[in-house]
Amino acid sequence: MSGQTVAIALPVADRHRSADFYRAFLERDPYGAIADDGLPEPLQFRINAATSMLLIPTGGFNWVLQDHRTVGAPTVVRTAFTWVLEDTDSVNRAAARAAAAGAETVIPPTTQPWQVFAGVIADPDGHLWVLQAGSIS
């Protein structure tokens, strides 16, 4: 996929709550043209040069799906994002920022049974993030 970009879309219940959470958790601002509610539309955060995350209100997400599928409840897990961070201190700091911004700590950062230092948080809409030190290899 060289030269291409990927946009990951997540359904959210409240644009402002999600914007506030991801500003604090990712330590960056959303980008794009500002809508009437004062946030970019679409509400998106740059993850890296080739990847963005779009936060779409649940109603809009269902509109795109055209009644072929529905958005599940926040407790239904279908995807977990893994954010590979430099070291254990970086994992602990990211987990603390997430908790302070309103995340649920699902698994506190610690050395996991598979011998990797990691923790799992859920954003305000229940989307899971694995915060992992080192590499995925």
Side-chain angles (χ1 to χ4, degrees), residues 25-110:
F25 176 49
L26 298 175
E27 295 186 303
R28 61 192 68 172
D29 290 321
Y31 69 93
I34 302 299
D36 292 341
D37 67 356
L39 294 173
E41 178 56 42
L43 177 56
Q44 54 191 327
F45 287 83
R46 177 92 47 219
I47 302 298
N48 62 32
T51 310
S52 293
M53 178 177 59
L54 284 80
L55 303 172
I56 311 294
T58 302
F61 209 88
N62 286 333
W63 179 80
V64 169
L65 297 174
Q66 302 175 30
D67 296 326
H68 292 282
R69 304 277 175 135
T70 59
V71 174
T75 56
V76 175
V77 176
R78 298 295 298 245
T79 303
F81 300 96
T82 298
W83 186 7
V84 179
L85 297 155
E86 186 174 324
D87 53 32
T88 59
D89 288 340
S90 298
V91 169
N92 286 325
R93 283 193 304 273
R97 283 194 313 273
E104 172 192 355
T105 300
V106 177
I107 300 172
T110 190

Side-chain angles (χ1 to χ4, degrees), residues 5 16 32-33 60 75 78 86 93 95 112 125 132 134:
T5 60
H16 283 277
T75 56
R78 298 295 298 245
E86 186 174 324
R93 283 193 304 273
Q112 300 301 324
D125 290 285
Q132 176 179 315

Side-chain angles (χ1 to χ4, degrees), residues 80-85 114 116-118 130-137:
F81 300 96
T82 298
W83 186 7
V84 179
L85 297 155
W114 58 94
V116 170
F117 188 85
V130 178
L131 307 173
Q132 176 179 315
S135 67
I136 294 181
S137 58

